[in-house]
Amino acid sequence: MSGMAARKSERLLNLLIMLLVQRNYVSKERIRAILYPDSSHDGFEKMFERDKEELRSLGVPIEVGNMDPLFDDEPGYRIPPDRFALPDVSLEADEAAVIGLATRVWEHARLAEATTEAVRKLTALGVPLDVSALDIAQPRLSADEPSFDVFWEATQERCPVEFDYRRPGEDTSTTRHLQPWGVVRYSGRWYAVGFDTDRGEERVFRLSRVQGEARRAGKPGSYDVPPGTDVRATAHRLAPAPTSERATVLVRAGAGLALRRNAESVEVGVPGPDDASAWDRLLVSRSGPGLADELLGYGADVRVEEPAELRDRIVERLAAVVGAGTGEARA
């Protein structure tokens, strides 16, 4: 990762962690003092606005509210865990656990390096860290998005990208050229948003449809993002409309807290796949195709009863993981 992209990633992760681990709203002045100490007033305002929008485009719900509900004073910022929650994790709250947990903010090795360093710095600055809060920030990447690095770094550096792309329903791919404006999670998928120089207009590309490795095709600073661009709004406007998936799943008692919180129905104490645990049956639904990813994250604590297509998809993904690392699996 280049120096500029690494600094940007570290700054974003500092902001994410700081807003996530503190239960109350954080004032803009406190954010500036801790995370942007060397910036001028105008420089801080611009960077802070960009960083907030960058995190929001990655699926991070940043809330704005008054610091004191009794007075109409300056606004504060926070990330509400209940709108961003995955299952609770019980860990000892020592520094090693904090850092180990924080490396999963993004399940992605190169961004995890920046996450770890961000946590170390915040710990050194005396920012209180809530380890249970850190684990809920997981916009997941899968093996279907191997070019995420290239698009992410090119976005930070304003560097054009060239890649082979296969559209749905087509057997062959075509070479595309993009000036990426941002990488966005929308409807359970990751998209690169930017200006398609071949078509002369803004476009979105689903990263799982990129064939092979994406390649840099120019120098950093080759273009500017149009003023006022909202990459999330562009993705919502240009990407396919989200679909909805429903499933009946068995969940081990005490597990799947986020699934339970949003379930349409819960049937307690049903027969499960083993006699050693108590199980519940949940009816869950999600917008977009990301339900398989979410259920995979629960491991052996969740079993899909129906639809069979979803169950088969999950089994296929697990088999692919085992096949890719048979040595590790045998160990």
Side-chain angles (χ1 to χ4, degrees):
M1 183 179 293
S2 71
M4 183 165 61
R7 287 192 299 274
K8 178 68 174 292
S9 296
E10 180 181 335
R11 196 171 71 240
L12 288 173
L13 290 164
N14 269 288
L15 181 58
L16 183 149
I17 292 167
M18 183 174 184
L19 298 183
L20 185 61
V21 299
Q22 301 189 72
R23 295 307 184 198
N24 299 320
Y25 289 106
V26 184
S27 71
K28 188 182 290 188
E29 282 307 310
R30 178 166 171 76
I31 293 170
R32 179 184 178 185
I34 292 179
L35 303 186
Y36 306 79
D38 300 325
S39 62
S40 65
H41 177 77
D42 290 343
F44 162 69
E45 292 288 343
K46 291 178 181 177
M47 277 195 294
F48 182 52
E49 289 303 315
R50 284 200 303 266
D51 290 350
K52 279 192 304 174
E53 288 311 306
E54 192 93 46
L55 286 177
R56 284 170 172 154
S57 76
L58 292 169
V60 179
I62 297 178
E63 269 189 359
V64 184
N66 290 333
M67 298 289 295
D68 189 332
L70 300 179
F71 298 95
D72 187 18
D73 58 2
E74 67 167 311
Y77 302 86
R78 70 176 180 180
I79 297 170
D82 59 341
R83 288 181 52 204
F84 201 36
L86 291 175
D88 290 344
V89 173
S90 176
L91 288 176
E92 294 182 9
D94 57 35
E95 186 176 13
V98 171
I99 294 174
L101 184 59
T103 59
R104 299 204 305 274
V105 171
W106 265 277
E107 293 178 333
H108 191 267
R110 299 176 76 177
L111 289 181
E113 294 173 8
T115 310
T116 302
E117 185 60 25
V119 171
R120 285 199 183 104
K121 288 188 175 182
L122 285 172
T123 302
L125 289 167
V127 177
L129 299 182
D130 179 344
V131 295
S132 65
L134 285 175
D135 194 54
I136 67 178
Q138 294 187 34
R140 296 182 191 88
L141 288 166
S142 74
D144 294 332
E145 290 114 9
S147 290
F148 180 92
D149 273 338
V150 176
F151 286 101
W152 169 266
E153 294 175 20
T155 295
Q156 313 311 320
E157 299 181 8
R158 304 292 185 254
C159 180
V161 175
E162 176 185 85
F163 55 97
D164 297 324
Y165 190 76
R166 187 171 63 194
R167 298 179 62 184
E170 296 183 355
D171 296 328
T172 59
S173 60
T174 57
T175 301
R176 313 299 289 268
H177 298 85
L178 185 73
Q179 295 176 349
W181 298 341
V183 182
V184 182
R185 187 168 175 82
Y186 169 63
S187 186
R189 300 289 188 184
W190 286 100
Y191 291 88
V193 180
F195 184 76
D196 184 329
T197 54
D198 298 316
R199 272 65 175 177
E201 57 188 16
E202 59 186 11
R203 289 289 177 92
V204 300
F205 296 92
R206 204 171 93 184
L207 296 192
S208 61
R209 294 198 178 116
V210 173
Q211 306 297 298
E213 290 289 334
R215 307 165 293 277
R216 291 168 176 259
K219 296 180 180 180
S222 298
Y223 60 91
D224 293 316
V225 177
T229 296
D230 185 333
V231 292
R232 283 183 305 153
T234 303
H236 288 208
R237 176 164 45 86
L238 298 180
T243 57
S244 181
E245 280 191 294
R246 301 179 84 219
T248 302
V249 298
L250 294 176
V251 182
R252 201 185 305 271
L257 300 184
L259 283 177
R260 295 173 185 277
R261 185 161 39 242
N262 299 307
E264 295 182 23
S265 65
V266 178
E267 183 182 354
V268 179
V270 301
D274 62 56
D275 297 327
S277 304
W279 294 80
D280 304 325
R281 179 177 287 112
L282 277 62
L283 177 61
V284 297
S285 63
R286 294 290 185 272
S287 295
L291 184 56
D293 287 340
E294 181 176 355
L295 296 178
L296 275 166
Y298 293 101
D301 289 332
V302 170
R303 302 290 180 91
V304 177
E305 285 193 320
E306 57 182 28
E309 184 275 332
L310 176 62
R311 184 175 61 247
D312 294 343
R313 203 185 332 153
I314 290 176
V315 171
E316 183 180 338
R317 291 272 295 276
L318 291 171
V321 170
V322 173
T326 51
E328 182 179 348
R330 283 196 298 270

